[in-house]
Structure formats: C-alpha cells, structure tokens
Amino acid sequence: MKHTNSEDTVYDVIRRNIKKYRKERGMTSAQLAEAVGLSHDFIRQIESEKTRYNFSVDTFYKISQVLEVGMDRLAEKP
C-alpha cells in the first residue's frame, strides 16, 4: 500500500482507508457497491489512485455505515 505524504488530499487518505477496511471485512468492491447502492465501477473509481474521483459526503457516509467504520477513522492518516 502506498504511504501517505504531505501532498495527499483528504480524498487520497479516504480512498486508501475505504479499500483497507473493505478488505479487512473480506468484502469485494462489488459487494460494497451493492450494499451502498452504487455501481461497482463507481466504487472502483473511488478507490482508484489513478482516477482520483471525488465523491459526495453522502456517499462517504453510506460507505462508512456499510463498513461499520466512523467517518473520522476513514479520514485518518496512518
């Protein structure tokens, strides 16, 4: 996993944490997408380091609820 640096945006930190917690729960991105009510492709774009897709607070909240991780922990730098 890529380490954070001072140039990382909050989105970069969140996208890495979403992927980390999703994997810790043994979920695929498709399973997360279904649980959140979004497309699989959309979740893949959120997690992608290349696409760097920005997402809404509502989407961030829904993902945190499905992963059972507080929004503060998803935004926390390692």
Side-chain angles (χ1 to χ4, degrees):
M1 183 163 101
K2 181 180 166 188
H3 296 288
T4 61
N5 64 50
S6 60
E7 295 178 20
D8 284 341
T9 69
V10 68
Y11 287 104
D12 294 324
V13 172
I14 292 168
R15 81 179 78 255
R16 280 193 290 271
N17 284 335
I18 288 171
K19 190 172 191 176
K20 170 188 161 187
Y21 288 112
R22 175 181 61 74
K23 287 185 173 191
E24 282 181 5
R25 280 159 184 68
M27 293 180 83
T28 66
S29 56
Q31 290 169 325
L32 176 59
E34 184 176 333
V36 175
L38 299 169
S39 74
H40 179 219
D41 201 42
F42 187 82
I43 293 295
R44 285 184 28 225
Q45 288 175 357
I46 288 174
E47 290 184 352
S48 173
E49 293 287 330
K50 294 178 184 174
T51 307
R52 300 176 68 94
Y53 185 83
N54 295 344
F55 42 89
S56 71
V57 172
D58 185 56
T59 297
F60 178 43
Y61 174 75
K62 288 176 183 178
I63 291 171
S64 76
Q65 293 296 296
V66 169
L67 295 177
E68 299 177 348
V69 177
M71 292 170 71
D72 59 331
R73 290 198 48 211
L74 286 178
E76 188 175 87
K77 286 189 177 186

PDB file of all heavy atoms in Angstrom, residues 34-48:
ATOM      1  N   GLU A  34     -22.925  -2.870  -3.983  1.00  0.00           N
ATOM      2  CA  GLU A  34     -24.307  -3.328  -3.835  1.00  0.00           C
ATOM      3  C   GLU A  34     -24.894  -2.868  -2.495  1.00  0.00           C
ATOM      4  O   GLU A  34     -26.025  -2.394  -2.432  1.00  0.00           O
ATOM      5  CB  GLU A  34     -24.385  -4.850  -3.947  1.00  0.00           C
ATOM      6  CG  GLU A  34     -25.799  -5.369  -3.887  1.00  0.00           C
ATOM      7  CD  GLU A  34     -25.893  -6.876  -4.092  1.00  0.00           C
ATOM      8  OE1 GLU A  34     -25.013  -7.445  -4.759  1.00  0.00           O
ATOM      9  OE2 GLU A  34     -26.855  -7.451  -3.577  1.00  0.00           O
ATOM     10  N   ALA A  35     -24.108  -2.988  -1.432  1.00  0.00           N
ATOM     11  CA  ALA A  35     -24.587  -2.611  -0.097  1.00  0.00           C
ATOM     12  C   ALA A  35     -24.843  -1.110   0.014  1.00  0.00           C
ATOM     13  O   ALA A  35     -25.741  -0.686   0.742  1.00  0.00           O
ATOM     14  CB  ALA A  35     -23.578  -3.060   0.958  1.00  0.00           C
ATOM     15  N   VAL A  36     -24.065  -0.322  -0.697  1.00  0.00           N
ATOM     16  CA  VAL A  36     -24.201   1.131  -0.653  1.00  0.00           C
ATOM     17  C   VAL A  36     -25.240   1.626  -1.659  1.00  0.00           C
ATOM     18  O   VAL A  36     -25.769   2.721  -1.541  1.00  0.00           O
ATOM     19  CB  VAL A  36     -22.823   1.811  -0.901  1.00  0.00           C
ATOM     20  CG1 VAL A  36     -22.936   3.308  -0.978  1.00  0.00           C
ATOM     21  CG2 VAL A  36     -21.841   1.435   0.193  1.00  0.00           C
ATOM     22  N   GLY A  37     -25.529   0.806  -2.661  1.00  0.00           N
ATOM     23  CA  GLY A  37     -26.490   1.194  -3.680  1.00  0.00           C
ATOM     24  C   GLY A  37     -25.861   1.984  -4.813  1.00  0.00           C
ATOM     25  O   GLY A  37     -26.498   2.846  -5.419  1.00  0.00           O
ATOM     26  N   LEU A  38     -24.599   1.689  -5.081  1.00  0.00           N
ATOM     27  CA  LEU A  38     -23.864   2.347  -6.162  1.00  0.00           C
ATOM     28  C   LEU A  38     -23.357   1.294  -7.140  1.00  0.00           C
ATOM     29  O   LEU A  38     -23.352   0.106  -6.833  1.00  0.00           O
ATOM     30  CB  LEU A  38     -22.671   3.138  -5.598  1.00  0.00           C
ATOM     31  CG  LEU A  38     -23.012   4.253  -4.620  1.00  0.00           C
ATOM     32  CD1 LEU A  38     -21.758   4.764  -3.942  1.00  0.00           C
ATOM     33  CD2 LEU A  38     -23.740   5.386  -5.337  1.00  0.00           C
ATOM     34  N   SER A  39     -22.881   1.741  -8.288  1.00  0.00           N
ATOM     35  CA  SER A  39     -22.347   0.787  -9.257  1.00  0.00           C
ATOM     36  C   SER A  39     -20.958   0.318  -8.832  1.00  0.00           C
ATOM     37  O   SER A  39     -20.226   1.040  -8.146  1.00  0.00           O
ATOM     38  CB  SER A  39     -22.279   1.409 -10.649  1.00  0.00           C
ATOM     39  OG  SER A  39     -21.221   2.338 -10.725  1.00  0.00           O
ATOM     40  N   HIS A  40     -20.629  -0.891  -9.256  1.00  0.00           N
ATOM     41  CA  HIS A  40     -19.312  -1.449  -8.981  1.00  0.00           C
ATOM     42  C   HIS A  40     -18.235  -0.542  -9.564  1.00  0.00           C
ATOM     43  O   HIS A  40     -17.214  -0.272  -8.937  1.00  0.00           O
ATOM     44  CB  HIS A  40     -19.232  -2.865  -9.551  1.00  0.00           C
ATOM     45  CG  HIS A  40     -17.908  -3.523  -9.344  1.00  0.00           C
ATOM     46  ND1 HIS A  40     -17.335  -4.313 -10.294  1.00  0.00           N
ATOM     47  CD2 HIS A  40     -17.039  -3.500  -8.313  1.00  0.00           C
ATOM     48  CE1 HIS A  40     -16.169  -4.748  -9.841  1.00  0.00           C
ATOM     49  NE2 HIS A  40     -15.974  -4.270  -8.647  1.00  0.00           N
ATOM     50  N   ASP A  41     -18.459  -0.055 -10.762  1.00  0.00           N
ATOM     51  CA  ASP A  41     -17.496   0.820 -11.419  1.00  0.00           C
ATOM     52  C   ASP A  41     -17.271   2.103 -10.614  1.00  0.00           C
ATOM     53  O   ASP A  41     -16.154   2.591 -10.510  1.00  0.00           O
ATOM     54  CB  ASP A  41     -17.960   1.152 -12.843  1.00  0.00           C
ATOM     55  CG  ASP A  41     -16.829   1.602 -13.733  1.00  0.00           C
ATOM     56  OD1 ASP A  41     -15.737   0.988 -13.660  1.00  0.00           O
ATOM     57  OD2 ASP A  41     -17.025   2.571 -14.477  1.00  0.00           O
ATOM     58  N   PHE A  42     -18.327   2.634 -10.029  1.00  0.00           N
ATOM     59  CA  PHE A  42     -18.216   3.850  -9.227  1.00  0.00           C
ATOM     60  C   PHE A  42     -17.325   3.612  -8.012  1.00  0.00           C
ATOM     61  O   PHE A  42     -16.456   4.426  -7.699  1.00  0.00           O
ATOM     62  CB  PHE A  42     -19.608   4.317  -8.801  1.00  0.00           C
ATOM     63  CG  PHE A  42     -19.627   5.653  -8.119  1.00  0.00           C
ATOM     64  CD1 PHE A  42     -19.611   6.823  -8.860  1.00  0.00           C
ATOM     65  CD2 PHE A  42     -19.657   5.742  -6.743  1.00  0.00           C
ATOM     66  CE1 PHE A  42     -19.629   8.065  -8.235  1.00  0.00           C
ATOM     67  CE2 PHE A  42     -19.678   6.970  -6.110  1.00  0.00           C
ATOM     68  CZ  PHE A  42     -19.666   8.130  -6.856  1.00  0.00           C
ATOM     69  N   ILE A  43     -17.514   2.499  -7.324  1.00  0.00           N
ATOM     70  CA  ILE A  43     -16.672   2.165  -6.161  1.00  0.00           C
ATOM     71  C   ILE A  43     -15.225   1.982  -6.601  1.00  0.00           C
ATOM     72  O   ILE A  43     -14.302   2.462  -5.944  1.00  0.00           O
ATOM     73  CB  ILE A  43     -17.197   0.906  -5.431  1.00  0.00           C
ATOM     74  CG1 ILE A  43     -18.561   1.183  -4.779  1.00  0.00           C
ATOM     75  CG2 ILE A  43     -16.184   0.407  -4.393  1.00  0.00           C
ATOM     76  CD1 ILE A  43     -18.553   2.218  -3.659  1.00  0.00           C
ATOM     77  N   ARG A  44     -15.025   1.315  -7.719  1.00  0.00           N
ATOM     78  CA  ARG A  44     -13.656   1.135  -8.228  1.00  0.00           C
ATOM     79  C   ARG A  44     -13.015   2.491  -8.519  1.00  0.00           C
ATOM     80  O   ARG A  44     -11.828   2.687  -8.252  1.00  0.00           O
ATOM     81  CB  ARG A  44     -13.664   0.249  -9.469  1.00  0.00           C
ATOM     82  CG  ARG A  44     -13.894  -1.211  -9.105  1.00  0.00           C
ATOM     83  CD  ARG A  44     -13.831  -2.190 -10.262  1.00  0.00           C
ATOM     84  NE  ARG A  44     -12.996  -1.783 -11.353  1.00  0.00           N
ATOM     85  CZ  ARG A  44     -13.328  -1.867 -12.642  1.00  0.00           C
ATOM     86  NH1 ARG A  44     -14.492  -2.347 -13.001  1.00  0.00           N
ATOM     87  NH2 ARG A  44     -12.500  -1.496 -13.579  1.00  0.00           N
ATOM     88  N   GLN A  45     -13.770   3.425  -9.049  1.00  0.00           N
ATOM     89  CA  GLN A  45     -13.241   4.764  -9.325  1.00  0.00           C
ATOM     90  C   GLN A  45     -12.901   5.496  -8.028  1.00  0.00           C
ATOM     91  O   GLN A  45     -11.890   6.186  -7.958  1.00  0.00           O
ATOM     92  CB  GLN A  45     -14.239   5.585 -10.132  1.00  0.00           C
ATOM     93  CG  GLN A  45     -14.368   5.128 -11.563  1.00  0.00           C
ATOM     94  CD  GLN A  45     -15.451   5.882 -12.315  1.00  0.00           C
ATOM     95  OE1 GLN A  45     -16.146   6.722 -11.753  1.00  0.00           O
ATOM     96  NE2 GLN A  45     -15.608   5.562 -13.581  1.00  0.00           N
ATOM     97  N   ILE A  46     -13.741   5.336  -7.016  1.00  0.00           N
ATOM     98  CA  ILE A  46     -13.456   5.971  -5.725  1.00  0.00           C
ATOM     99  C   ILE A  46     -12.141   5.452  -5.157  1.00  0.00           C
ATOM    100  O   ILE A  46     -11.326   6.214  -4.653  1.00  0.00           O
ATOM    101  CB  ILE A  46     -14.610   5.730  -4.721  1.00  0.00           C
ATOM    102  CG1 ILE A  46     -15.829   6.566  -5.116  1.00  0.00           C
ATOM    103  CG2 ILE A  46     -14.173   6.044  -3.296  1.00  0.00           C
ATOM    104  CD1 ILE A  46     -17.056   6.283  -4.283  1.00  0.00           C
ATOM    105  N   GLU A  47     -11.923   4.146  -5.234  1.00  0.00           N
ATOM    106  CA  GLU A  47     -10.727   3.534  -4.656  1.00  0.00           C
ATOM    107  C   GLU A  47      -9.483   3.723  -5.520  1.00  0.00           C
ATOM    108  O   GLU A  47      -8.373   3.515  -5.044  1.00  0.00           O
ATOM    109  CB  GLU A  47     -10.955   2.039  -4.421  1.00  0.00           C
ATOM    110  CG  GLU A  47     -11.932   1.749  -3.314  1.00  0.00           C
ATOM    111  CD  GLU A  47     -12.061   0.264  -3.029  1.00  0.00           C
ATOM    112  OE1 GLU A  47     -11.513  -0.560  -3.793  1.00  0.00           O
ATOM    113  OE2 GLU A  47     -12.717  -0.083  -2.027  1.00  0.00           O
ATOM    114  N   SER A  48      -9.641   4.105  -6.744  1.00  0.00           N
ATOM    115  CA  SER A  48      -8.521   4.186  -7.678  1.00  0.00           C
ATOM    116  C   SER A  48      -7.586   5.351  -7.385  1.00  0.00           C
ATOM    117  O   SER A  48      -8.013   6.480  -7.194  1.00  0.00           O
ATOM    118  CB  SER A  48      -9.055   4.331  -9.108  1.00  0.00           C
ATOM    119  OG  SER A  48      -7.987   4.573  -9.999  1.00  0.00           O
TER     120      SER A  48
END
